[in-house]
């Protein structure tokens, strides 16, 4: 299991990432209730295109935020650092680059191919 110092630095990274994701979501107008658009503008094609782009981005940010919060919950437990699919340890270099990673690199590659 990772040392306390490693866990602390991972936690700091995850918390920073969480703040950054939350700030980006707030900037896009995403609050607790989800995206809040004025329906009167919904039929303008430009707005629709922008909304499509925003929704894709918001979806990506929300997924990232969920991963970060999930990792923060697991951090310090036996489950942290283990792949959620095959239960093998995730390579430390991968965790340093992506502390919120749920899957080892092999499983992540397999699920990206699906
Ligand atoms: Zn795996």
């Amino acid at each position: 299991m990772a040392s306390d110092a490693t866990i602390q630095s991972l936690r700091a990274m995850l918390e920073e990432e969480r703040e950054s994701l939350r700030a980006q979501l707030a900037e896009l107008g995403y609050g607790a209730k989800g995206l809040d658009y004025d329906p009167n503008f919904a039929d303008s094609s430009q707005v629709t295109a922008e909304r499509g782009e925003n929704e894709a981005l918001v979806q990506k940010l929300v997924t990232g935020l969920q991963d970060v919060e999930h990792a923060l919950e697991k951090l310090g437990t036996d489950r942290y650092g283990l792949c959620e699919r095959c239960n093998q340890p995730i390579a430390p270099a991968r965790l340093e680059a992506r502390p919120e990673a749920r899957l080892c690199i092999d499983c992540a590659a397999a699920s990206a191919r699906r």
Side-chain angles (χ1 to χ4, degrees):
M1 192 55 218
S3 70
D4 287 354
T6 308
I7 288 172
Q8 272 182 16
S9 80
L10 287 171
R11 185 180 298 280
M13 280 172 73
L14 285 164
E15 282 173 351
E16 203 172 294
E17 181 70 12
R18 182 171 61 181
E19 284 317 301
S20 147
L21 288 166
R22 281 184 178 160
Q24 290 175 74
L25 283 166
E27 225 164 81
L28 289 166
Y30 183 87
K33 284 180 300 192
L35 287 174
D36 191 15
Y37 287 105
D38 186 338
N40 295 325
F41 291 100
D43 55 8
S44 146
S45 62
Q46 196 197 340
V47 169
T48 305
E50 272 175 23
R51 184 169 63 177
E53 272 173 34
N54 270 356
E55 277 175 358
L57 179 56
V58 163
Q59 195 50 51
K60 201 170 149 238
L61 293 171
V62 168
T63 305
L65 189 57
Q66 284 168 344
D67 284 350
V68 167
E69 287 183 341
H70 185 71
L72 278 166
E73 277 173 27
K74 283 199 303 183
L75 199 60
T77 73
D78 293 346
R79 288 177 302 143
Y80 185 78
L82 292 181
C83 174
E84 294 186 2
R85 184 166 298 164
C86 68
N87 274 322
Q88 295 303 304
I90 299 174
R94 175 165 167 77
L95 285 178
E96 271 167 41
R98 279 197 78 215
E100 73 277 27
R102 295 178 189 232
L103 300 176
C104 72
I105 197 129
D106 291 340
C107 291
S111 81
R113 273 199 303 270
R114 261 192 310 166

